[in-house]
Structures are given as structure tokens and as C-alpha cells.
Amino acid sequence: MDEKIIKKNAVPVIAAMITALALSFTGLPMDGNTSAKKVSDIYNGLGCTSLLAWILLLILYVKGWEGYRKYRNWQAHVLAVIFSAGMLLGTSYFTNENWDFLFGAKKQILISAGCFIGFYIICDMGITYFWRIPEMEFFRKACGRIPAREEEVMWFRLAKISMIIGWTPFILAFLPGSIPADGFRQLDVFLGAMPLDNHHPWVLTMIMGGLLTLGKTIWCYNFGVFLIIIVFTSVEIWCYSAVVRYLYRWKAPKWILFGTVLLFAFVPIFGSYAQAVIKDGLYTAVITLYFAVYIDICHSFSKRKAVYLFLLGISVCLTRNNGIHLILPSLILLFFFLVKGARKYAFIVAVCVFACYLGVEKGAAPALGVAPGSRCEMLSVPFQQTARYLREYPDDVTASEKKAINRILDYDVLAEKYNPELSDPVKNTFRFRDNDEDPKLDGYMNDYFKAWFAMFRRHPRVYVQATLNNTYSYNDPFHMGRGQQGVYRFYIDKLYQKKSGIDVSYVGPKKIQYLFRLYDELWMRAPGLGLILSAGTYTWLTLLLMGYLLVKKQWKKLLIFAIPVLNILICLVSPVNGLIRYMWPVMPIMPMLFWWILQPAPKTSSN
């Protein structure tokens, strides 16, 4: 009997040990010339935390190994490989800013392979059981608890009141409101302190500037800033409350409803951005409501819902410049999701959104003298690759390549300015930032990309490493990027304030403001809670939910994932590594995605 127990548990015990060992490596590579650097710097398996982790893994593996062997599948294996690779790259780049933990030396490859196996086991087992949860009895009972029909208004009000309670302390602490660099730039553009351009959505700039001017006319600039905060916050609260109402109408279980209310009201990113003059809070709220209407149309189509979808779609496009890249593909996929009788309306909505967007950006904007945004905003990836190349191989650049680069960027400072996790310092050396329509620029860009490609052919690893270093946090929830420069916007930007001379200042005590800053920072670093504010968490959740649909062979329901997938792809070419502000739109749509995968495939018949 004892021998059977030992044989049965030998594999999970060894697997638990391998995973515990993998989690104990710090990410520092071995020295190529000696056996190791200081062993304590490379591996730290001592201490209570490591011991408790190993005991917990041992219990989980022993108890769950039989079920894991029974239910595992190839989809889970593929996803586990992706997650493990993300964790391994995140560990290496967070610690070293390169992939030396993986490939630093021959011995290091063995260590990284062992870590990969340890990560793979826990990821594969976790994914397998995550996909089993909907079939478990306790979960079915929880999903069976749906609110009564007459509670719709109650849930709508509960959501509004909860958000008012959760957000108001932030607004009061930072009265009249914070104005970070992005928001102040929009106000400066409206007031004529900076050229009128579309670096930030110009329509939203006009709205913000109009509210500021109205407040200044009534009282003072402080009141104008407060007016922007109140109007934007009111719209955001209404949008999120409407999302809760949609979940109620879809007969979502109470645990999803309560979780959604708690997410919107008390996760600090919502309240923290409610007190800031910046486009992201409004954009995230509007696209979340757009997604709710989008799902509602997939569930049951009507012409009225199509009108709502159009209004929300164009609103998304006008509150963030890359909004069109999410809305238009999602509408195209909606055409394929709906039945034939409803498809023409999806096509009409897509055409109307695109036509209105072109009318605003290509018609009204030039007529009003609004200059287009700089093309350098879309070139973070190649610019970072060039800068890293010059840092790693400064002597392996030809004279013609140097000339081509120097026409576009300030060649002499690129290596010095290079930040592996933030492309803004490199982009700021772009020589045509304020003159993007210069006729010489197209020719110079062609020469630059010829040089860029020639350098890539000589040292392709540099380009790969530059990209991985600027994106690893979007693929690894456990390592937040260092390029964020503060997740929350608790400040009034002095540089932009000097340009326009707007007299704005906080009226609340600094000690209270410090407590709110401390609260947000502690939340980000708290076990478990910090993962809610990690960009990589939402990449993983998106892939997990899509994988579940693949396992269940519900192929058509995957079309609904256009918004989160496209948002993740945009993050991967963004200027900042792991910035939760860029991934934020995926966070509030997660409750709807959880509800979506648990439902039978809708018939999508037209009404």
C-alpha cells in the first residue's frame, strides 16, 4: 500500500519541487567565466515565503494531479507554453534588460530550460482547472443565483451610488483636479499656447477647452478644471452604470453583478483617473458601453440598438485617435456574426461610422486648420530598435546610415536617450515633430528605413531584444514595467502650465493627497490586488477565455473578442512597456466576457 502511494505521488512531488525551484530564481544570469556569481544573487530558495510556496504547491499538485492528467488537452498545453515563455522573458528583461537569463551562457540555457518546465507545469495545470470551473457544481449553483426581475433599477442605482462613494474621496482630495501633461497639452492647444493639432483628439480638446472657458467666465480657472472633472465623471458613471444594467438584463448571476460594481467603484484606477483632466477615463467608459451594446446586438438584434452602436462607435473614435482601429474591425466582424436579415445593418453602421470619422478628421479638421498628429507616434518600435542598435553597436554604422538616421532623429544623443521601456525620449528627438507635412520628410523616411533594414540584417538580435524589452510586461502579469512614470496622474504639469499661464492649483491639504498616493501605490504592490492593475493580467485572461471557447468548439463566439485582442496588439506597439492606462479598456469589459463565454451561442435573430 505504501509503495503504491509513493509511486502515485512521486511525479507530483517532483513537479512541485521543479516549480518551486523555478520560482526561486531571481533572474540574474550565471557568469560565463565561472561556475556562478554569488549563488544568493542568482537563486534564493531559503526563507519562509519559499518554504510556504513549496508546501502549497506540494498540496495542490498531490491533490490535483489525477484530475489534471484526466482533463488536460492540447489547447491548454499551447497556452501554457505561451504563458511560460512570457514569464521567463519577463523575469529576464525585468532583471537584466536583456535575455541573458535565457541565453547568457551554455549553463544558463539549462537553468532557463528548467525554469520553463517549472512554469509550464503550473500554467498547464492552472489552465486545465480554470477551464473546468464552469462544469463544477459550486459554480453552477453560483450562476443559478440571478437577481429578480424588478431589481433592474436597484442595480443601476447601486452602481451609481457605489461609484460616487468610491470616486468622490479622490476628487475632493485633489480639488479642483489634476492636470497631467496630456490633459494640459489639450488645454494649451485650445487656448492658443500651442499649435492646433490632432496629437490628442481635437474634438475632445474643443470640449475640454470649452468647459474650462465656461468655468473661467463664471468664476476662475480652478472652477473650469472642476467643471471638466464633474462633466466627464458624470458621463463615466452613467456609462458604467448602464453596463451593470445590461448585465442585469442578460440575467448575469449575482456574483458577476457584485464583482462588476466593486471593480468599477473601488479599484483605484477608476477613482484616480476621475480626478484628472485626461482623455483616458472618458474613452474607457465610452468603449466599455460600446462593447455592452455590441454584445447586446449579438444576443438579440434591433434597429434601435444599431443606432446606439453607431453613436457610441463614433464617440469612441473622437475620444482617442486609435479608437477607429478598434471600432471598424469590430463592426466588420459583427457583419459575419449576425444572421442574414441583420447583416445589412451592421454594414450600414460600419459605413456610417467610417464616413463620419472621415468627415471629422479629413474634412472638418483641415478646414479648421487642425494639423494632423505627428507620424512619429506610430514609429515607437523602429525608433527603439535603432536606438538600442546604436547603444550596442555604435561602431558598426556606415556613413550613409548615420546620415539617414540623423535626418530623422538626433543621431548623437540616441544611445544616451534610449530607455528600454519608454520610447518617448527617443521619439522626442524626431526632427519633424512640428512640421510633419514637410515635403522632404517622405524621402528622408525612405532612406531611414533602408538604413534600418540594413542594420537589422547585420544584427537582428538587437531589434528583437529592443521589442521584447519594450513589451514584456504586456505578456507577464508578475513584472510591471519600469517605464510607466507613475500609473496615476496626481499632479499639475508645470511645464505646460507655463506655456498658457493657466492659474490652477490644488486647494486641499498635501497630507491628504499623500495618503491617497500611498494608498494607490500600496494597492499596486499588494499580493493579489496588484495583479488587478497589471497589464499582463488582461492579456492572459483574454487568451484564457478565448482558449475556453476553442475547447468548447464555439468558434463563432470568438468574433466578439475583436476589441480586447486589438487593444492588446496596440499596446504591443505602444511607447510604454506594461502601462495599465493603455490596457485599461480591457479591464472593465472582462465581466461581460466572462458572462459571454458561459452563455449558449445566441441565435442573433433580427427583431
Side-chain angles (χ1 to χ4, degrees):
M1 186 70 177
D2 291 339
E3 288 186 14
K4 289 183 178 180
I5 294 175
I6 292 173
K7 289 181 179 179
K8 179 181 177 181
N9 294 327
V11 174
V13 169
I14 294 171
M17 178 62 74
I18 293 172
T19 302
L21 288 171
L23 295 173
S24 298
F25 280 95
T26 63
L28 289 172
M30 295 186 68
D31 193 323
N33 299 320
T34 60
S35 59
K37 295 180 181 178
K38 290 183 178 179
V39 174
S40 59
D41 292 338
I42 298 170
Y43 175 78
N44 185 16
L46 300 176
C48 293
T49 304
S50 298
L51 177 62
L52 290 173
W54 182 74
I55 293 172
L56 180 61
L57 287 168
L58 189 62
I59 294 171
L60 290 175
Y61 282 20
V62 170
K63 292 288 185 181
W65 198 260
E66 287 299 316
Y68 163 58
R69 291 183 61 191
K70 180 179 179 181
Y71 297 114
R72 60 189 177 183
N73 51 59
W74 70 265
Q75 294 95 334
H77 299 335
V78 172
L79 206 52
V81 169
I82 295 172
F83 287 178
S84 303
M87 292 173 66
L88 203 58
L89 288 168
T91 300
S92 185
Y93 278 98
F94 183 81
T95 307
N96 312 298
E97 296 185 350
N98 55 47
W99 60 24
D100 283 359
F101 182 66
L102 282 75
F103 311 116
K106 291 181 179 179
K107 295 177 181 178
Q108 189 61 44
I109 294 175
L110 295 175
I111 292 176
S112 63
C115 288
F116 179 85
I117 293 170
F119 293 158
Y120 172 82
I121 295 170
I122 192 171
C123 287
D124 196 40
M125 192 172 183
I127 293 166
T128 299
Y129 274 103
F130 183 84
W131 288 344
R132 285 286 302 162
I133 289 175
E135 278 79 43
M136 294 180 178
E137 186 63 27
F138 82 93
F139 189 81
R140 289 179 177 175
K141 289 182 179 179
C143 289
R145 301 189 188 103
I146 60 174
R149 285 185 177 182
E150 64 274 8
E151 294 179 2
E152 179 177 344
V153 175
M154 184 274 287
W155 280 100
F156 184 74
R157 290 175 178 172
L158 175 65
K160 286 197 295 185
I161 293 170
S162 298
M163 280 181 275
I164 290 170
I165 293 172
W167 297 8
T168 299
F170 289 92
I171 295 172
L172 294 178
F174 293 91
L175 277 173
S178 299
I179 318 179
D182 286 356
F184 228 131
R185 192 184 195 281
Q186 289 185 267
L187 298 180
D188 285 353
V189 166
F190 179 85
L191 296 172
M194 295 186 68
L196 181 59
D197 63 13
N198 200 35
H199 180 80
H200 297 291
W202 70 272
V203 174
L204 191 60
T205 296
M206 297 298 108
I207 294 172
M208 292 166 63
L211 291 171
L212 178 74
T213 304
L214 177 61
K216 171 65 169 61
T217 303
I218 296 173
W219 189 5
C220 60
Y221 276 126
N222 264 14
F223 185 69
V225 171
F226 181 69
L227 200 58
I228 297 172
I229 298 298
I230 290 301
V231 170
F232 280 26
T233 298
S234 299
V235 174
E236 291 164 27
I237 288 177
W238 186 86
C239 288
Y240 290 129
S241 300
V243 170
V244 174
R245 173 175 267 176
Y246 273 110
L247 283 166
Y248 169 85
R249 289 176 179 174
W250 300 334
K251 297 182 180 180
K254 286 187 176 181
W255 67 269
I256 288 184
L257 288 168
F258 275 118
T260 304
V261 171
L262 292 174
L263 174 70
F264 293 163
F266 300 111
V267 172
I269 190 171
F270 292 90
S272 298
Y273 275 91
Q275 59 80 43
V277 178
I278 194 168
K279 63 183 182 292
D280 298 271
L282 184 63
Y283 166 76
T284 300
V286 173
I287 198 172
T288 303
L289 184 55
Y290 168 87
F291 193 73
V293 176
Y294 187 87
I295 288 183
D296 202 42
I297 283 181
C298 292
H299 195 257
S300 62
F301 178 83
S302 73
K303 296 177 184 178
R304 185 182 63 178
K305 294 175 184 178
V307 174
Y308 291 162
L309 194 69
F310 161 73
L311 294 174
L312 288 166
I314 195 64
S315 299
V316 170
C317 296
L318 298 179
T319 50
R320 194 175 182 93
N321 287 333
N322 58 20
I324 188 66
H325 303 305
L326 300 177
I327 299 304
L328 197 58
S330 70
L331 291 174
I332 293 171
L333 291 176
L334 181 64
F335 175 86
F336 295 102
F337 190 93
L338 298 177
V339 295
K340 289 182 179 180
R343 284 179 180 175
K344 61 182 179 181
Y345 296 104
F347 177 76
I348 291 170
V349 171
V351 170
C352 290
V353 168
F354 189 57
C356 289
Y357 176 78
L358 289 180
V360 172
E361 299 298 340
K362 303 300 181 182
L368 295 172
V370 180
S374 174
R375 70 181 73 186
C376 76
E377 299 303 322
M378 300 182 292
L379 297 173
S380 292
V381 173
F383 284 178
Q384 285 287 85
Q385 291 167 340
T386 299
R388 190 175 183 115
Y389 184 103
L390 296 181
R391 191 187 72 171
E392 300 292 331
Y393 300 99
D395 299 325
D396 194 5
V397 183
T398 66
S400 61
E401 291 168 350
K402 178 178 179 180
K403 183 179 179 181
I405 295 170
N406 198 48
R407 282 175 171 174
I408 300 299
L409 304 167
D410 189 344
Y411 180 93
D412 294 330
V413 300
L414 284 184
E416 177 186 347
K417 293 281 187 180
Y418 175 64
N419 180 334
E421 301 189 30
L422 178 67
S423 69
D424 286 350
V426 170
K427 285 195 305 180
N428 288 340
T429 71
F430 185 63
R431 297 190 184 276
F432 294 87
R433 178 174 285 272
D434 298 323
N435 192 17
D436 204 68
E437 296 181 344
D438 191 310
K440 296 182 293 185
L441 181 55
D442 288 336
Y444 289 170
M445 288 301 301
N446 289 334
D447 293 339
Y448 165 76
F449 277 111
K450 288 178 183 178
W452 172 88
F453 185 68
M455 294 158 64
F456 165 73
R457 293 179 63 184
R458 291 200 295 272
H459 299 288
R461 289 188 178 185
V462 174
Y463 282 34
V464 175
Q465 292 226 57
T467 303
L468 291 174
N469 209 155
N470 210 73
T471 58
Y472 69 82
S473 280
Y474 291 118
N475 306 306
D476 178 13
F478 307 106
H479 293 97
M480 290 189 183
R482 297 190 180 94
Q484 301 198 40
Q485 297 180 323
V487 175
Y488 307 110
R489 296 303 189 252
F490 296 133
Y491 68 95
I492 296 175
D493 192 276
K494 300 300 182 184
L495 178 62
Y496 283 105
Q497 189 174 23
K498 289 180 181 178
K499 293 184 179 183
S500 59
I502 299 176
D503 184 16
V504 179
S505 59
Y506 291 127
V507 298
K510 292 183 178 180
K511 290 183 178 179
I512 298 296
Q513 295 171 4
Y514 168 77
L515 291 176
F516 276 89
R517 291 188 180 99
L518 181 63
Y519 167 74
D520 281 354
E521 292 299 322
L522 289 175
W523 181 291
M524 285 189 65
R525 287 159 177 75
L529 295 178
L531 289 175
I532 299 174
L533 296 173
S534 174
T537 298
Y538 300 97
T539 303
W540 280 31
L541 284 175
T542 300
L543 293 175
L544 278 170
L545 298 182
M546 293 176 70
Y548 179 80
L549 292 178
L550 286 173
V551 171
K552 296 301 177 182
K553 297 181 180 180
Q554 297 180 15
W555 319 107
K556 199 171 183 180
K557 290 176 73 174
L558 287 169
L559 297 177
I560 206 75
F561 283 81
I563 294 288
V565 169
L566 288 169
N567 195 95
I568 291 167
L569 293 177
I570 289 172
C571 287
L572 294 177
V573 295
S574 70
V576 190
N577 175 40
L579 185 60
I580 188 60
R581 179 162 64 97
Y582 292 164
M583 190 65 81
W584 188 13
V586 183
M587 181 193 298
I589 71 175
M590 273 299 154
M592 292 182 278
L593 289 175
F594 274 100
W595 174 86
W596 177 254
I597 69 164
L598 296 174
Q599 301 308 302
K603 296 179 181 179
T604 61
S605 59
S606 61
N607 298 326

